[in-house]
Amino acid sequence: MTCATKPCATAPYATGQQYLKDGVLPHMWCPGCGIGVMLRACLRSFEELGYTNQDTVVVTGIGCTGKLDDYLVTHALHTTHGRALACATGIKAAKDDLHVVVFMGDGDSVTIGGNHFVHAARRNMDLTAIVINNFNFGMTGGQFSGTTFNGAITQTSAYGNPERQLDICALAEVAGANFVARSTPWHVDDLTALIGEALSRKGFSLVEVLSPCPTHFGSNNKMKKGTEMLAWLQEKTVPVDVWRTMSPEARTGVFPIGRLVDRNEPDFNARYREVGARATGN
Amino acid sequence: MKNHGRLLQGNEAMAQGALYAGARFYAGYPITPSSEIAQECSRVMPKLGGVYMQMEDEIASMAAIIGASLTGAKTFTATSGPGFSLMQENLGLAIMGEVPCVVMNVQRSGPSTGLATKPAQADIMQIRWGRHGDQELIALSPSSVAECFSLTVEAFNLAEMLRTPVVIAADEIVAHMRENIVIPEPGEIPVIDRAKPTGDPAAYRPFAPAPHGVPPMSAYGSEYIMHVSSSMHGPDGYSNNSPDNAARQIARKNGKFEHHRADIVKTKAFDADDAEVLFVAFGAVTRAARAAAAKLRANGVKAGVLQLVTVWPFPTEAVAELGSRAKTVVVPEMNYHGQIAGEVKKVLGADADVRRVNGWNGQIITPRDILKAI
Ligand SMILES: Cc1ncc(C[n+]2csc(CCOP(=O)(O)OP(=O)(O)O)c2C)c(N)n1
Ligand code: SF4
């Protein structure tokens, strides 16, 4: 989202502008960054689902992604690095009627905060987690993270990353999330639809947004322009139904996108209400 | 029917104190010697419509009680030294975001298993200085089961009044001892709730200057939109790095403790007015100090005890007043370095006769140990 003004107030479609703070655009993200595209998709979905500024709590981690609460006029908690999901867990367990939406980078969600990610999904907390996976720590200058590919060049892996990447969606799936999806800013309509679906589902919902960071990951790996990174993301991704027909070798280095997991298990608060009923004999 | 009281353990009394204060949200990660608090909460909360959450670690426990407090709930957690260390960064978030909550640190000795589950009073400095940045908080230290109850109610009251985390610096001895206590009827002792915003919601600023430095606090879900941040923020809660703003926010966030000093800083004096030998003690060791003072009195020595009920902010005035009257001041505490003795020396000056009695082997300090200093 590189527009320097607010979306048109009379647009015949949902814009989500009622959640945007006055006078904060243009935003801080670099040209070609994917965070703005994701945020716009999200705010449109808020509007379509009838979220109010009052019943919505935006919880953010620390990083470029985590800065986004500063642009919004919903209730918000800007947390500590990696702990957004644990804070959100407390919010949702204490007040079930809030929409709690958690925004994190790949560092936040599955590197420093991996433990909370696993357990929020395992509890099936009724939260929507939106993860910008730009394959590195954007804010601190592009060091490798838990999702950086083996061999990738970053600020702290000049000779290639010795580690292997973690599959965020697979982790959420085995941990017990109800809804898991992946998309990219290149597939913006799908992305918007998947975010809308994730927001409307009970239990733990995850949308992983593979996202360009041309400033760091891109420039370290021969993709200085945002458009080059988008083309690369397009190449790296295949619709999940196609992916399921591919051989294990062909799947290497390719991300399935779309709706990956769709379950309807009771969320933590529903199970806790059963505990309450047993404790009180009702 | 007359209330003859109940035989309770210190940990149970802390849990009961929290319930009395209206707390209905507990999140924690078990660790001896605090686990009975978790056990009690897990049994009682579901019956009262409250929440017991067992989190994946103490980092998450602290995070969860912050999140829950922002919905308007009174929230708490309990741990011991190793878990308390893990809570430090998020405790800093609670101070920065001015989020009321109570953290019970039932102190034991050493890292991880350490000197397994034996008592200590060695977290006093990490309670005060464990975070980064210029941050104040309150710590209260109970010396009996009755105080485990009453100071917990007090801790919630101060947390709500000042929008701050309050630490209960208990030790394994008070936490595990059993004494008969009378739990007051509802309404018998005051319970304070945080001030809520009034007026035009659009004009609400959760971090604005306020009388005595404590702005009213909204709750998530309310029409008073509340933006809370670990980043330096302006009165509206949004990021603001201007040096002037930072100076004002940090001064107000610290200054509110000065404004409320009389509400916060509590001590108890036993035979201290004419004391020539003054024991300055806190937590379980207060009991040994009182026994030692009684023994000295019986032998004609004017001895007394100053109990630090509030450990942080440090009770400078009471220590200065009684300490400067005494010829000898003795500070018994269950740690090696004399964490509180250092503070007492700071108040009384280098020339004062301040003696340390330290125990660090996991055994309680006895009256006899204390008398050796005289
Ligand atoms: C406890 C802690 N460790 C390290 C940091 C420094 N830090 C800030 S943001 C960040 C990484 C951000 O990466 P990511 O979560 O992927 O978000 P992005 O900036 O890429 O959106 C780090 C390491 C911190 N703020 N706190
Ligand atoms: S550094 Fe990367 S992630 Fe951060 S704003 Fe720039 S492009 Fe986006």
Side-chain angles (χ1 to χ4, degrees):
Chain A
M1 190 165 70
T2 49
C3 58
T5 57
K6 274 200 163 191
C8 173
T10 54
Y13 49 84
T15 60
Q17 72 159 305
Q18 63 269 49
Y19 313 105
L20 268 185
K21 190 168 157 58
D22 273 333
V24 289
L25 294 179
H27 55 65
M28 56 146 307
W29 297 300
C30 309
C33 177
I35 296 172
V37 178
M38 175 279 293
L39 182 58
R40 180 184 152 106
C42 212
L43 298 186
R44 290 177 69 164
S45 299
F46 282 5
E47 179 173 332
E48 277 162 11
L49 293 167
Y51 283 22
T52 65
N53 305 64
Q54 188 169 323
D55 66 16
T56 306
V57 187
V58 164
V59 182
T60 54
I62 304 297
C64 295
T65 312
K67 289 293 288 176
L68 65 77
D69 54 277
D70 264 337
Y71 301 105
L72 306 181
V73 284
T74 61
H75 286 286
L77 179 58
H78 182 57
T79 64
T80 41
H81 190 35
R83 318 305 170 194
L85 281 169
C87 290
T89 293
I91 295 170
K92 189 68 194 186
K95 206 160 196 281
D96 196 33
D97 55 4
L98 296 171
H99 303 297
V100 186
V101 190
V102 189
F103 295 91
M104 299 166 285
D106 44 283
D108 258 322
S109 57
V110 296
T111 310
I112 190 170
N115 197 24
H116 312 307
F117 185 89
V118 168
H119 291 282
R122 176 182 64 81
R123 291 186 188 101
N124 207 16
M125 289 307 301
D126 184 22
L127 306 169
T128 304
I130 299 184
V131 174
I132 284 279
N133 180 4
N134 53 22
F135 313 103
N136 72 167
F137 294 161
M139 172 159 271
T140 43
Q143 300 85 2
F144 65 87
S145 83
T147 65
T148 308
F149 315 111
N150 181 232
I153 309 299
T154 69
Q155 191 198 65
T156 49
S157 59
Y159 311 108
N161 179 21
E163 302 184 7
R164 298 180 298 175
Q165 94 234 38
L166 184 69
D167 181 332
I168 303 179
C169 289
L171 181 62
E173 177 173 9
V174 295
N178 257 359
F179 183 86
V180 178
R182 183 188 280 124
S183 193
T184 85
W186 173 269
H187 307 86
V188 64
D189 289 342
D190 292 345
L191 173 67
T192 311
L194 289 167
I195 288 179
E197 211 175 333
L199 289 167
S200 56
R201 299 296 303 275
K202 268 273 172 208
F204 191 83
S205 307
L206 166 74
V207 181
E208 179 189 359
V209 187
L210 303 178
S211 184
C213 172
T215 305
H216 297 305
F217 189 79
S219 64
N220 281 322
N221 292 281
K222 302 197 179 80
M223 296 174 284
K224 276 202 166 62
K225 290 196 208 129
T227 46
E228 287 168 339
M229 286 218 73
L230 281 176
W232 175 75
L233 284 174
Q234 190 195 10
E235 253 167 55
K236 293 287 268 182
T237 52
V238 293
V240 62
D241 41 353
V242 175
W243 186 84
R244 288 201 173 110
T245 65
M246 289 161 58
S247 68
E249 300 79 57
R251 288 176 179 179
T252 309
V254 179
F255 290 95
I257 53 170
R259 193 191 300 103
L260 308 183
V261 177
D262 191 354
R263 297 186 277 226
N264 195 17
E265 301 275 322
D267 69 305
F268 173 84
N269 286 358
R271 290 184 203 265
Y272 191 79
R273 278 191 293 274
E274 288 171 15
V275 169
R278 285 197 293 276
T280 52
N282 291 319
Chain B
M1 203 180 80
K2 192 163 166 16
N3 184 346
H4 289 294
R6 290 165 63 184
L7 185 64
L8 283 188
Q9 193 193 43
N11 277 337
E12 290 165 351
M14 283 191 261
Q16 290 299 326
L19 294 171
Y20 187 93
R24 293 293 181 271
F25 190 101
Y26 177 91
Y29 187 89
I31 180 168
T32 309
S34 74
S35 297
E36 293 85 358
I37 300 171
Q39 182 181 7
E40 183 78 1
C41 290
S42 72
R43 291 182 185 188
V44 178
M45 287 300 185
K47 289 189 185 164
L48 298 178
V51 178
Y52 170 82
M53 284 215 76
Q54 195 160 300
M55 299 303 290
E56 53 273 22
D57 59 25
E58 289 85 350
I59 301 175
S61 305
M62 191 63 221
I65 68 168
I66 290 170
S69 178
L70 289 166
T71 71
K74 292 187 184 180
T75 68
F76 65 118
T77 185
T79 187
S80 188
F84 190 76
S85 300
L86 293 183
M87 292 178 180
Q88 291 282 18
E89 192 194 8
N90 283 335
L91 203 47
L93 167 62
I95 295 171
M96 185 70 149
E98 301 182 68
V99 184
C101 53
V102 171
V103 177
M104 297 158 177
N105 178 1
V106 183
Q107 297 165 85
R108 69 183 217 194
S109 177
S112 192
T113 308
L115 181 49
T117 74
K118 294 283 202 301
Q121 295 175 307
D123 291 349
I124 298 304
M125 285 298 164
Q126 82 144 334
I127 288 169
R128 177 61 190 88
W129 298 111
R131 292 148 307 281
H132 42 282
D134 293 301
Q135 298 202 324
E136 180 74 276
L137 55 53
I138 297 171
L140 310 176
S141 183
S143 69
S144 65
V145 175
E147 283 182 357
C148 283
F149 180 90
S150 62
L151 292 189
T152 300
V153 179
E154 185 67 22
F156 277 98
N157 285 348
L158 291 170
E160 295 283 314
M161 199 194 298
L162 277 98
R163 282 186 62 178
T164 183
V166 177
V167 176
I168 301 193
D171 53 67
E172 190 274 341
I173 297 165
V174 288
H176 279 165
M177 99 173 69
R178 287 179 189 277
E179 289 179 310
N180 205 51
I181 71 162
V182 176
I183 294 199
E185 295 299 323
E188 230 176 281
I189 50 177
V191 165
I192 295 170
D193 297 327
R194 63 193 74 167
K196 296 202 173 60
T198 51
D200 177 12
Y204 175 57
R205 300 284 176 270
F207 301 95
H212 309 298
V214 187
M217 184 170 170
S218 181
Y220 288 161
S222 147
E223 60 183 328
Y224 294 88
I225 301 294
M226 181 164 58
H227 194 108
V228 178
S229 181
S230 55
S231 295
M232 180 49 71
H233 43 263
D236 58 4
Y238 289 82
S239 297
N240 184 331
N241 268 350
S242 100
D244 284 350
N245 172 70
R248 274 196 302 272
Q249 281 294 337
I250 294 171
R252 182 184 58 72
K253 286 177 205 288
N254 284 283
K256 66 185 179 183
F257 294 89
E258 283 305 317
H259 277 295
H260 288 89
R261 199 169 163 86
D263 299 313
I264 302 169
V265 180
K266 300 279 164 63
T267 55
K268 288 183 185 171
F270 305 98
D271 290 332
D273 280 346
D274 65 343
E276 290 172 1
V277 174
L278 180 73
F279 299 120
V280 177
F282 62 103
V285 176
T286 309
R287 307 165 78 99
R290 288 181 65 180
K295 199 147 215 167
L296 287 177
R297 283 264 166 194
N299 291 333
V301 180
K302 288 179 178 164
V305 176
L306 174 66
Q307 180 195 347
L308 309 181
V309 177
T310 307
V311 176
W312 301 118
F314 194 69
T316 308
E317 299 84 349
V319 170
E321 192 190 326
L322 296 174
S324 52
R325 255 188 251 159
K327 290 201 180 91
T328 300
V329 175
V330 181
V331 188
E333 54 191 315
M334 291 186 285
N335 59 53
Y336 183 84
H337 289 100
Q339 298 183 17
I340 286 292
E343 294 301 302
V344 171
K345 275 190 195 149
K346 235 197 248 175
V347 174
L348 297 178
D351 296 338
D353 178 14
V354 177
R355 303 180 191 178
R356 286 168 37 178
V357 175
N358 299 98
W360 56 86
N361 63 352
Q363 302 295 306
I364 187 166
I365 295 175
T366 63
R368 225 213 193 129
D369 298 330
I370 295 173
L371 287 170
K372 280 186 207 148
I374 304 301

